Amino acid sequence: MAIKTYEEDGNVSNPIKRIRWATQRVTGPNARRKRGSLLNRFHKKTGSMEKKRDSDGSHVDGIHDAAADSSEDGDDPEDTRRRIFFNIPLPTDAKDDEGHPLANFGRNKIRTAKYTPLSFIPKNLWFQFHNIANVYFLFVIILGIFQIFGNPNPALSSVPLIVILFLTAVKDGIEDWRRTNLDNELNNSPVHRLVDWNNVNTSEDDISLWRRIKKSTTRGIIWAFRLWRSKTRSKSEGGKGYAERALDEPQKPSDTKRVSMASRSSFQSVRSPIAEDAIQMTPVPSPQPGQGPSFAENSLKPPVGQRASQALSQDDANLLFETGDVKSSAPNGAKEPSDYTAKVYGSLIDPFKQVPGKARFKKDYWKNVQVGDFVRIYNEDQIPADIVILSTADPDGACYVETKNLDGETNLKVRQALHSGHEVRHAKDCERTEFVIESEPQHANLYQYSAVAKWTQRDPRKPGEPGTSKAEPISINNLLLRGCSLRNTDWILGVVVFTGQETKIMLNAGITPSKRSRITRELNWNVVYNFIILFLMCLISGIAQGITWSQSDHSLHYFEFGSVGGKASLDGFITFWAAVILLQNLVPISLYISLEIIKLAQAFFIYSDTFMYYEKLDYPCTPKSWNISDDLGQIEYIFSDKTGTLTQNVMEFKKCTINCIPYGEAYTEAQAGMQRRQGIDVEVEGAKANKQIAQDRVKMLQGLRKLHPNPYLHDEELTFVAPDFVSDLEGTSGAEQQRANKDFMLALALCHTVITERTPGDPPKIEFKAQSPDEAALVATARDCGFTVIGRAKEGIIINVLGEDKEYTVLNTLEFNSSRKRMSAIIRMPDGRIFLFCKGADSVIYSRLKRGEQAQLRKSTAEHLEMFAREGLRTLCIARKELSEADYQAWSKEHDIAAAAIVDRDEKLEKTSDAIERDLTLLGGTAIEDRLQDGVPDTISLLGDAGIKLWVLTGDKVETAINIGFSCNLLNNDMDLIMFKIEDEKAETAEAELNKHLASFNITGSDEELRAARKNHEPPGPTHALVIDGDSLKLLLQDEFRQKFLLLCKNCKAVLCCRVSPSQKAAVVQLVKSGLDVITLSVGDGANDVAMIQEADVGVGIAGEEGRQAVMSSDYAIGQFRFLQRLILVHGRWSYRRLAETIANFFYKNIVWTLALFWYQIYNSFDVTYLFDYTYILLVNLAFTSLPVIFMGILDQDVSDKVSLAVPQLYRRGIERKEWTQVKFWTYMVDGAYQSVICFFMGYLLFARATFVTSNGLGVDDRPRMGVYIACAIVVVVNIYVLMNVYRWDWLMVLLVLISILLIWFWTGVYTAVSSAAQFYKAAPQVYGQLTFWVLLLLVIFASLLPRFVAKAIQKIYLPRDIDIIREQVRLGKFDYLDQYEAYVPPKVSSAASSDVLQAVKPPTKESAPVADDERPIYPPSIAATGTTRNPHSQTGSDGTDYTGHRLSLDYPGRPSFDRPRPSFDRMRSSMDRIRPSYEASNDFTSAALLTRVESSHSQQGHGQGQRPVHGFSLLR
């Protein structure tokens, strides 16, 4: 029964949320497919079935690194391509004999979980029986079934193993269930897919028999379940929500004639004959008005002549456009420019094709999406597969996506639809298309894609003509990747090219690993050692028993009724296996279940730690894997993402420089960190600076409102505090400075790609969504200063300039990329003039300035930018250039040809962009702060003090990562930055660079050096840091360079890998983890971090406000980066030390008990007689000795959490793995063996004379009563020994020890009080009533524990460890000051010399020879390189030069008429003395001074004599 359509008045003004209409969620025809098995999750590679790739030059190599290469099955992507046909019958070479497609494309259904319901039990048991102890106990249980080996109760002996397997399976199941739920949620997410048309690329009939059986079974179960539900549930469902109703009842297939309230008729699909009855409308939330570009009804009409025009002809060697008759007109009041023709494109639609018109978009599940499907995605929806965009709601074909799940960035990125697909907007249009996409095969590179769309263009005016072949290139800018989210765009329509495991996000995500902690792995070797000891004892027993029966002169021949085996050899064999059962406790199965209990408790304590609770998201620290908590105490390397992990990804415009004048007041985190290293009290200094900034802020707001009543200025959003800027904008400093300030702000308002979101109100509010947060900050500052971007017109942009709206025509936008390091916008001004505005890295802009001009401006701007960079700010230069109409038209034609190129398109575009971005005029520079998360610098400093090395692996650009490194104290002012960038990407160049840098550390990268590096866990000195980009990293991860690169990084204090893909992140983690044999931790917040999170020993996901992919794949989830300090330094250290001590004590107590049984066999011919009552053997590990050692692992604490944070150096013992070593294991084993000798033989000597009788004449020298003497002594000794090894003696621990000791007395008294105890009857009063029992007990305790006590005393008094000294200081009250702090220890203000880390001596450096000026490398001040190379011109011989030597370069001529107070600038400049000698300074000139001497290397005159290009500069020191 159809649900009545919900209606809403469309005239409601200012709705909070606009409602869009869609059908109910219904079950698709393929929605009941069962999940495939693990072996079938990776589909057949398409390369073996697809044609060889044409050498058209459009293929882009995928990323091949260590991680990616391991997943290849031998197919070479260079030789394959993917062809996808749309409404075109498959050619013969693409079909098999039955007519099915040869290409077997993968399903879109994914699974990241390790188990399925069918595979859980066998697979989990397979993993558990990787534990050698479990295999052993299973064997013992099977052995005990045979009564010949004397096991009194085989069934009872199997209970411990069953319990262990069950508890472990429950734990694993809970962990994997969460991943399964996420998989199901994603696979069953809704998407609008075109149905009732023929997708020739897939065949529904080509399904295996096994899958058909599973599908039929699933349908039957679901049908029966729904039939039962329909009879039992209530008929009334009025209270149910949309999701519940949609899932409860199956609906008829329905059409999604989905329209927005604003433009409902714009993209309404053609109704099918059953549409009236099939559509069941349900309101679905839609974006608010103004969130994205809307389109009017007439926007769907093709431009004049477009349908008849053609796209790029494949036969045209010159790649020229065919053009229509469209001409441009100049703006009002401008001179009419020369006529030029506008380019038009062809269309994928065949105008003469007849279609049935039945196709429609239906809401379906993600898992049903197939390669070749048409899909429609709506605003805020996630992308279900890799999709080529055909059309969007925007008339220009633009859409905006958020790629946070891919690269961690929350900023929006622009993607463009194919020009030939703009007309494909409805379901009927999809039916009328005919085209082929020839794509490169799948690869993991997120930033590259190459394909081409080919079709036959027919002229609607000439029906009889066959048409011409056309093609349009497809790049990464036309591709939406799975995992992205559509933002600020009503809808897009596209076609699917990759699904499921073949999508880029899945190629970058590894299979969910099964992680085991290092101690657990090493524990298997200790169990093997115990096996060897057990084997030797059993072998001795078997041999001795066989020899005994082989001799005829023993009394047993007279008193026994014959042996069990009948002959000596068989008796020895049976005795061997009987001894295995008797002595089985030597391999402690109770250890494993105890460790599971301990780790579960530790996970609970981590979860319950309120100091790791993130209140903003209501998120505690959540352990996802319970069995690796001890690895947290051995972390040596941390690999961190940057955006969203270290930073908030919130940019704030702080400072700028215009026409030689610096503006802006700020006190940055990097500046505070610099002053802290100087010993300055940053609390006082910060309070003083912030007070001044607050006063200036009030003054600036007053000036801005006096200048212009800006309705879009909001006080709380102002980040640029510069009252003198407002004064200059009013003209206080003259017309020239006023004009310069206006031109600067106008450039910020015009040179960008942001989109506006306007929120009506009083006052109105305008927010900006940009591809980069930097862009949003720049445009927001322009808005605050009166240059507000109101929105975009059809062909331009509207700017409110100090209260007056003006429209500027955007002619071209040359976007930023990592190689260009700049972006430009070509704008036609209201007066008709054409300007190019360019912003980018300072070195890049300086190299493109007009030669011989603005000498003073260049000098001052460079010095200011260097000063800003030293404050940790991200710097950019702003420049412009005026173009003539003729020059622009000539360049535009070249640009259009390059944009349509199929071969080397990116190179050609960059070449044409480079041609026009020359002879620029400098306007000034900007400085932006990317604020860190709270506590990041202190956390990194604390982790560094603990000896942990932090590497940053980010997809962001190099300059950004370096600035963040300085802000968060990862980099400091004394480090030499090794900028590793291989420009020519040749192996020879990479090897030469590696060898050069290795030589600076006096190493060559040999195997001997690698072995030494594995043993050396000391942190490197803070002298060097390495920065490398993704392309260079790809080279260095090759087999011939991996070892050298690893050793180079090992000697660097910090490593920053920039522009790296997710698979490269995982490869770096794997390189360090396996190469140096260390414990690694990866932390990230996005899906792009999943691969490295899974590769590391410990993966930590940060629960961001958006996206939880990293969290779901992690072992621990936290809310903020700063919580790592408690997770690692407190809980990790505690867990590692507790488990190490627990395991050692477990082996100890078992060896004491087992050897006592073995010593007894000496006196009964090794016939495997039980010394102790069998109940003792069952209860010794269950009750008598279990609680103290378990609670030692749960509650023991050497120092408190506050002291652990105050003295992070205590953690280094875990890095060096000194808590659990083989020496410690054998020490405890030898100690246990000694104590077993004391316990048994002192008892034996008591009875050895055979004259032992009680006062009533009854003897207590029989086997069970002798066993009471020895067993009670062992239990007391073992429990006291455990107590001696516990650091924290609180009432609970002492009580547990007492209870465990008293339990054996209690059990002996109760059990022997009943006659069923047989020979053991009344043993308790008889033994406990003897004085000899108590005397023996005291003597045994004293003799057994005395060596351990003496050894501990000597060690703590004469050979104290760090923890011993700290514990003594705690007792003396030296850490009482910590009581005033609640959570963590605030950073101490100390001089640099007081820091252990900073006291590392730098390696001697060779004296540099003078370098010619034209041979010196050029460095941008934003990188702010440093160095310690000795200055050959220094008179003192000290490293570097005093910065005061360049003061003259900073004292630029000021304006004599205006005394400008600049407290922030002056304060920063005065603090530069001897703080940051840069690399340039060490070569007798600063980077700022260098930039002033740079003439444009890209000017029309070409390279000047003695000049060198600035592009691709690299820091080599």
Side-chain angles (χ1 to χ4, degrees), residues 834-852:
I834 299 176
F835 277 93
L836 178 143
F837 294 95
C838 185
K839 63 183 179 185
D842 37 26
S843 62
V844 174
I845 299 299
Y846 265 69
S847 68
R848 296 175 179 276
L849 297 178
K850 198 168 185 178
R851 298 171 67 91

Side-chain angles (χ1 to χ4, degrees), residues 510-585:
I511 300 175
T512 304
S514 179
K515 295 183 179 179
R516 301 169 67 223
S517 67
R518 176 181 286 272
I519 286 185
T520 302
R521 297 194 300 267
E522 294 178 350
L523 195 58
N524 279 344
W525 284 106
N526 300 113
V527 173
V528 169
Y529 300 148
N530 277 23
F531 274 137
I532 295 174
I533 297 173
L534 176 65
F535 173 80
L536 292 176
M537 290 195 297
C538 295
L539 184 63
I540 292 172
S541 299
I543 293 175
Q545 181 70 357
I547 293 175
T548 300
W549 280 105
S550 66
Q551 296 175 352
S552 59
D553 57 347
H554 286 277
S555 60
L556 57 86
H557 290 282
Y558 303 100
F559 296 99
E560 297 287 349
F561 294 97
S563 64
V564 177
K567 58 180 181 178
S569 58
L570 188 57
D571 288 336
F573 178 80
I574 295 173
T575 301
F576 175 88
W577 294 113
V580 169
I581 298 175
L582 171 66
L583 306 175
Q584 61 179 289
N585 280 338

Side-chain angles (χ1 to χ4, degrees), residues 1086-1145:
N1088 61 317
D1089 303 316
V1090 169
M1092 74 170 182
I1093 284 175
Q1094 293 182 340
E1095 180 63 39
D1097 295 285
V1098 180
V1100 177
I1102 292 184
E1105 298 184 34
E1106 298 182 32
R1108 297 290 174 92
Q1109 281 73 14
V1111 164
M1112 294 307 300
S1113 301
S1114 66
D1115 303 304
Y1116 294 88
I1118 57 178
Q1120 290 275 277
F1121 182 84
R1122 68 178 185 270
F1123 296 147
L1124 275 182
Q1125 59 180 321
R1126 285 191 66 85
L1127 181 64
I1128 295 175
L1129 302 182
V1130 177
H1131 293 283
R1133 196 182 68 83
W1134 281 350
S1135 298
Y1136 171 58
R1137 202 204 62 77
R1138 289 166 175 170
L1139 278 174
E1141 199 65 35
T1142 296
I1143 293 171
N1145 281 273

Side-chain angles (χ1 to χ4, degrees), residues 701 705 711-718 763-766 784:
L701 288 170
R705 290 201 164 85
Y712 307 107
L713 173 62
H714 295 268
D715 295 2
E716 67 279 2
E717 296 181 359
L718 181 68
K765 189 174 183 179
I766 288 184
D784 295 340

Side-chain angles (χ1 to χ4, degrees), residues 434-642:
E434 287 188 357
F435 63 102
V436 179
I437 290 181
E438 293 186 358
S439 167
E440 66 181 354
Q442 65 273 17
H443 60 75
N445 193 337
L446 296 173
Y447 308 108
Q448 291 181 345
Y449 179 67
S450 179
V452 60
K454 299 180 179 180
W455 74 98
T456 300
Q457 183 66 48
R458 300 184 65 184
D459 190 342
R461 294 171 296 186
K462 301 175 182 179
E465 293 188 0
T468 57
S469 297
K470 303 296 175 186
E472 181 177 355
I474 303 173
S475 70
I476 192 65
N477 290 325
N478 308 116
L479 190 70
L480 295 182
L481 302 182
R482 176 182 176 123
C484 299
S485 298
L486 190 66
R487 296 283 188 263
N488 298 94
T489 308
D490 287 345
W491 57 267
I492 68 100
L493 192 150
V495 291
V496 177
V497 290
F498 296 109
T499 53
Q501 299 294 336
E502 296 173 344
T503 57
K504 289 183 180 293
I505 189 173
M506 295 306 297
L507 290 174
N508 278 283
I511 300 175
T512 304
S514 179
K515 295 183 179 179
R516 301 169 67 223
S517 67
R518 176 181 286 272
I519 286 185
T520 302
R521 297 194 300 267
E522 294 178 350
L523 195 58
N524 279 344
W525 284 106
N526 300 113
V527 173
V528 169
Y529 300 148
N530 277 23
F531 274 137
I532 295 174
I533 297 173
L534 176 65
F535 173 80
L536 292 176
M537 290 195 297
C538 295
L539 184 63
I540 292 172
S541 299
I543 293 175
Q545 181 70 357
I547 293 175
T548 300
W549 280 105
S550 66
Q551 296 175 352
S552 59
D553 57 347
H554 286 277
S555 60
L556 57 86
H557 290 282
Y558 303 100
F559 296 99
E560 297 287 349
F561 294 97
S563 64
V564 177
K567 58 180 181 178
S569 58
L570 188 57
D571 288 336
F573 178 80
I574 295 173
T575 301
F576 175 88
W577 294 113
V580 169
I581 298 175
L582 171 66
L583 306 175
Q584 61 179 289
N585 280 338
L586 186 61
V587 181
I589 190 172
S590 57
L591 170 62
Y592 290 93
I593 191 170
S594 299
L595 293 183
E596 294 294 331
I597 295 172
I598 291 171
K599 291 180 178 181
L600 176 61
Q602 290 173 349
F604 174 76
F605 290 149
I606 292 174
Y607 179 80
S608 303
D609 191 340
T610 57
F611 296 131
M612 292 193 292
Y613 170 74
Y614 189 40
E615 186 174 4
K616 183 178 180 181
L617 295 181
D618 187 26
Y619 202 86
C621 179
T622 306
K624 304 284 184 177
S625 300
W626 302 343
N627 59 339
I628 59 173
S629 58
D630 49 295
D631 276 352
L632 285 172
Q634 306 171 72
I635 303 297
E636 186 168 352
Y637 284 86
I638 293 179
F639 301 91
S640 174
D641 183 33
K642 181 189 74 67

